Amino acid sequence: MTKARVTVIDIAKAAGVSKSTVSLVLQGSSLVNEATRAKVNAVMRELGYVYNRGAANLRQAGAKSRIVGVVVNDLTNSFFAELAVGVDTVVQSAGFVQFLSNTGESIDRQREVVASMREHGISGLIVSPARATDAADFKPLVAAGIPVVVVVRNLPGAKVSSIVSDNRAGMVSAVKHLAGLGHKRIAFLGGFPDTAVFDDRLAGYRNGVDAAGLDYHEGFVISSAPSRAGGVEAIGKAIALGRRPTAAVCFNDAVAFGVCDGLRARRLEPGTDFAVVGFDDVIEAQAAVPALTTVSVDPQGIGRRGAQMLLKQINAGKAEAETVTTAVRLVVRESCGAGKSVTSKQDAV
Amino acid sequence: MTKARVTVIDIAKAAGVSKSTVSLVLQGSSLVNEATRAKVNAVMRELGYVYNRGAANLRQAGAKSRIVGVVVNDLTNSFFAELAVGVDTVVQSAGFVQFLSNTGESIDRQREVVASMREHGISGLIVSPARATDAADFKPLVAAGIPVVVVVRNLPGAKVSSIVSDNRAGMVSAVKHLAGLGHKRIAFLGGFPDTAVFDDRLAGYRNGVDAAGLDYHEGFVISSAPSRAGGVEAIGKAIALGRRPTAAVCFNDAVAFGVCDGLRARRLEPGTDFAVVGFDDVIEAQAAVPALTTVSVDPQGIGRRGAQMLLKQINAGKAEAETVTTAVRLVVRESCGAGKSVTSKQDAV
DNA sequence: TGACATAATTGGAACGTTCCAAATATCTAA
DNA sequence: TTAGATATTTGGAACGTTCCAATTATGTCA
């Protein structure tokens, strides 16, 4: 019902002190007498005071807004939702709040939300960039002293910190596992070739093929949209090949699910007639039938790690661009044809 | 590289006008001459000016921060992630940004994040409250003139707007469908009885049972955690009953998946030996085997609708508490034993 | 008691914007 | 040419906080 805002001045008047003292209390300064502190706090509760952070960071010019921006390219994908949760937990417990925006892979939208966040005075930004993001897009931010951490997809050329999972090592272990099961013809299915993640995973595939002493066939690399539909399409092409593969590592789990669909449509049972391995370990992977053998990347962990890195840089005041690749591990389930519920841990290099 | 912030005053000096004029340009006022506007805009671009919204809303006291707070109880649940995306799309295109926080069903955390959001001066709040949230918790907000929209779970007694799906009608149609397939003994499985959503869905179940001319057995209502594990537990109890049910409507899809697991563990095939219907229509529902018959509630739609309602109230300046229940429809797939991929639409009352 | 250190408090000025009332420039018609 | 209108521009004074330098209260020692 009270129309006007309660300000420090109101508190000061009611408590019989000066606004400066109230401010000191607000900041938990040790300068203020215990009795006055108690008094002031009591009055604040009584009048229903709410701190105006906007006014505060107007004064303390620097990056003290206690807001971190989080931008993800596809929140409907549970991988990124988990990532956001990971960020949120550490950000929250550090007393920050997060601006979360979804770009849906639109670079324009990404530009807009980043601009908006900047106007709101974020102290730092965590971003999983939309496809084909220009590395220069974040230049102004870092120039203004706002730390930026890029996650999941790295941005070659941008001088910012980044955290990506060890895509290469993950694929190596996936291929090795299949080779260990006796497969000689292993395909790489799905994904758009214009992304850094694709390059890494493909490189891992090639390494794995070499390491297993198998021949590398260019025809076994079949790209497609990184989606379920893309997986269906890719397996269709793979099966049409003369010497068809007997197993596949997939760009990600969505593709792997599509591959399973496509196999069944051709009366082939994934896991029995054809081995399938995914990448990401989304929640659905273990509930699916057959349960998906996949490379687990722990998106929440990446989110937490990214948030920690960002907070460190915010507190340090200066942003050393550092790059971290997080370990992944192969989770063996059923779709690769190995025994049920055997889990092999394999740390990445 | 430039150390100091660029302000309107810098722009004014460089453009040879007064700060007031620059401010006018910023607000797109029609008072300012076209030539000066162009000049000012050019200088702003040149100097890399970024608007300081914090300073702005300090002056224009009201709720013009263009921030909406979004609080959800479980972002790892794709239902709520979708909801957040729905909110984000309309909020973004209205030129607002969203603060998104996850409470993980913790009331303390919820209190914290709401307080923090308030300090940051949100213009409105959309919340899917944590379990056992006190309706009075949002009193201060509305008293301060900040519109609040509660979604998904309603908060009886709180004088705020709310959007919930038509839980009752959804359950009625689910039960009717099962009865139409010839089932006489239909159970209601899963969910915690202390929530309004549970009450609504249970009421719908009873209505449906009555409408189908069946007898209502108290023993057929078996509550449990609203999770996969809870579903396993509930179906176990149901099967142990003397006259066991032949079909079940479940509190939500997670429970339904658990029920399917539990059935298989007892060598019963869901869809063939026992009919299962879920609620929510999460993404996994159509990919599962058997595909889940369920009541679809379109979380993105709820998010969009909630955001629209909130923005309307923000713009109106005054918040009429209004309550909306959104229509749901039964999506018939395989787990109920009916034919494959037949979709019956049924609008809610 | 005086002198000095220490503890606690305090009034402006500043942060970057918007608003207001008032000033100036430009146009129109007599 | 001038009065009155209209179109544009403009200096302060806010907004709610923090910071600084300065002030006042309190304690200690000889």
Side-chain angles (χ1 to χ4, degrees):
Chain A
M1 294 301 126
T2 23
K3 210 62 238 168
R5 224 182 196 302
V6 181
T7 83
V8 277
I9 302 200
D10 301 321
I11 303 297
K13 261 182 213 136
V17 296
S18 78
K19 61 182 170 35
S20 304
T21 304
V22 177
S23 173
L24 256 11
V25 171
L26 247 17
Q27 308 172 253
S29 162
S30 61
L31 285 176
V32 37
N33 183 293
E34 210 41 62
T36 29
R37 178 197 309 283
K39 171 79 182 167
V40 169
N41 278 324
V43 174
M44 289 201 298
R45 251 189 308 278
E46 186 185 339
L47 299 193
Y49 170 73
V50 344
Y51 184 67
N52 184 335
R53 235 168 250 277
N57 31 285
L58 183 53
R59 188 56 176 88
Q60 30 183 77
K64 298 213 61 194
S65 69
R66 319 227 80 179
I67 303 176
V68 307
V70 181
V71 174
V72 299
N73 52 291
D74 183 10
L75 194 60
T76 62
N77 183 330
S78 50
F79 182 90
F80 294 104
E82 298 259 345
L83 184 109
V85 170
V87 172
D88 198 41
T89 50
V90 356
V91 146
Q92 262 187 52
S93 48
F96 283 61
V97 300
Q98 75 173 357
F99 268 142
L100 177 71
S101 282
N102 182 37
T103 61
E105 299 290 5
S106 154
I107 321 194
D108 291 336
R109 198 135 235 204
Q110 180 170 284
R111 237 188 290 269
E112 281 171 27
V113 303
V114 171
S116 174
M117 285 176 172
R118 228 191 132 184
E119 293 184 354
H120 282 282
I122 53 172
S123 338
L125 178 71
I126 296 182
V127 54
S128 165
R131 206 168 27 248
T133 294
D134 185 354
D137 273 7
F138 301 106
K139 262 297 205 47
L141 285 238
V142 312
I146 299 173
V148 175
V149 172
V150 169
V151 293
V152 183
R153 302 172 169 181
N154 58 351
L155 228 46
K159 307 193 65 178
V160 297
S161 299
S162 64
I163 304 187
V164 294
S165 51
D166 198 335
N167 294 305
R168 182 184 296 241
M171 271 303 173
V172 169
S173 61
V175 172
K176 276 186 180 166
H177 175 72
L178 289 172
L181 293 174
H183 291 280
K184 303 284 182 217
R185 297 198 301 283
I186 303 171
F188 178 97
L189 303 182
F192 283 134
D194 65 342
T195 67
V197 173
F198 182 90
D199 292 344
D200 288 347
R201 294 192 180 172
L202 181 57
Y205 165 75
R206 297 192 61 160
N207 289 168
V209 166
D210 288 352
L214 303 175
D215 293 334
Y216 169 75
H217 290 292
E218 219 171 85
F220 278 3
V221 176
I222 300 175
S223 65
S224 77
S227 62
R228 199 155 181 142
V232 173
E233 182 196 325
I235 188 66
K237 290 185 186 165
I239 284 184
L241 291 175
R243 279 166 56 82
R244 64 162 74 157
T246 62
V249 293
C250 301
F251 176 73
N252 66 13
D253 285 351
V255 169
F257 287 133
V259 167
C260 291
D261 291 345
L263 287 168
R264 283 213 197 80
R266 290 172 178 74
R267 304 261 162 252
L268 294 172
E269 187 55 27
T272 316
D273 306 320
F274 192 99
V276 179
V277 178
F279 208 114
D280 282 353
D281 196 17
V282 300
I283 319 174
E284 300 92 322
Q286 62 177 314
V289 178
L292 194 66
T293 293
T294 187
V295 178
S296 174
V297 313
D298 184 21
Q300 277 211 33
I302 293 185
R304 282 194 301 269
R305 187 104 180 237
Q308 282 154 358
M309 188 185 269
L310 187 73
L311 291 179
K312 200 183 68 186
Q313 296 186 356
I314 290 173
N315 292 331
K318 197 59 210 110
E320 290 288 309
E322 81 188 280
T323 297
V324 170
T325 75
T326 65
V328 297
R329 60 176 233 277
L330 182 70
V331 179
V332 177
R333 296 201 182 95
E334 301 164 4
S335 65
C336 60
K340 289 184 172 213
S341 53
V342 176
T343 297
S344 113
K345 294 199 181 195
Q346 169 138 6
D347 287 329
V349 185
Chain B
M1 297 299 128
T2 21
K3 209 64 236 165
R5 224 181 196 303
V6 181
T7 83
V8 277
I9 302 202
D10 301 322
I11 303 298
K13 262 183 211 135
V17 295
S18 79
K19 60 179 171 37
S20 304
T21 304
V22 177
S23 173
L24 257 12
V25 171
L26 247 18
Q27 308 172 251
S29 162
S30 60
L31 285 176
V32 36
N33 183 292
E34 209 41 64
T36 29
R37 177 196 309 282
K39 171 79 181 167
V40 169
N41 278 324
V43 173
M44 290 201 297
R45 250 190 308 280
E46 187 184 339
L47 300 193
Y49 171 74
V50 345
Y51 186 66
N52 185 334
R53 234 169 251 277
N57 16 293
L58 184 53
R59 190 56 177 84
Q60 31 181 74
K64 298 213 57 195
S65 70
R66 320 226 77 175
I67 302 176
V68 307
V70 181
V71 175
V72 299
N73 52 291
D74 182 9
L75 194 60
T76 62
N77 183 329
S78 49
F79 181 91
F80 294 104
E82 298 259 345
L83 184 110
V85 170
V87 172
D88 198 40
T89 49
V90 356
V91 146
Q92 261 187 51
S93 48
F96 283 62
V97 300
Q98 75 173 355
F99 267 141
L100 176 71
S101 280
N102 182 37
T103 61
E105 298 290 6
S106 154
I107 321 195
D108 292 336
R109 195 133 237 206
Q110 179 170 286
R111 238 188 291 269
E112 281 171 28
V113 302
V114 171
S116 173
M117 285 175 172
R118 231 193 127 184
E119 293 185 353
H120 282 283
I122 52 172
S123 338
L125 178 70
I126 295 181
V127 54
S128 165
R131 205 164 33 243
T133 295
D134 185 354
D137 273 7
F138 300 106
K139 262 295 206 48
L141 286 238
V142 311
I146 299 173
V148 175
V149 172
V150 170
V151 292
V152 182
R153 301 171 170 182
N154 58 349
L155 227 46
K159 306 191 65 179
V160 297
S161 300
S162 63
I163 304 187
V164 295
S165 52
D166 198 336
N167 293 306
R168 180 183 297 242
M171 271 302 174
V172 168
S173 61
V175 172
K176 276 188 180 164
H177 175 72
L178 289 172
L181 292 173
H183 291 280
K184 304 280 181 219
R185 298 198 302 283
I186 303 171
F188 178 97
L189 302 181
F192 283 133
D194 65 342
T195 65
V197 174
F198 182 90
D199 292 345
D200 287 348
R201 294 189 182 174
L202 181 56
Y205 165 75
R206 296 192 62 161
N207 288 168
V209 165
D210 287 352
L214 304 175
D215 292 336
Y216 169 74
H217 290 291
E218 220 171 83
F220 277 4
V221 176
I222 301 174
S223 65
S224 77
S227 62
R228 197 153 182 144
V232 173
E233 182 196 325
I235 187 67
K237 289 185 186 165
I239 284 183
L241 291 174
R243 277 167 56 83
R244 67 163 70 157
T246 63
V249 292
C250 302
F251 175 73
N252 66 14
D253 286 349
V255 169
F257 288 133
V259 167
C260 291
D261 291 344
L263 286 169
R264 284 215 196 81
R266 289 171 178 75
R267 304 260 163 252
L268 293 172
E269 188 54 28
T272 315
D273 306 321
F274 191 100
V276 179
V277 178
F279 208 113
D280 280 355
D281 196 19
V282 300
I283 318 173
E284 300 92 320
Q286 62 176 316
V289 178
L292 194 66
T293 293
T294 187
V295 178
S296 174
V297 312
D298 183 20
Q300 277 211 32
I302 293 186
R304 281 193 301 268
R305 188 106 181 235
Q308 281 154 358
M309 188 185 269
L310 187 74
L311 291 179
K312 199 183 68 187
Q313 296 187 358
I314 289 173
N315 292 331
K318 198 60 210 110
E320 292 288 310
E322 81 188 280
T323 298
V324 169
T325 76
T326 65
V328 297
R329 60 176 232 276
L330 182 70
V331 179
V332 177
R333 296 201 182 96
E334 301 164 5
S335 66
C336 60
K340 290 186 170 213
S341 52
V342 177
T343 296
S344 114
K345 292 201 182 199
Q346 169 138 7
D347 286 329
V349 185

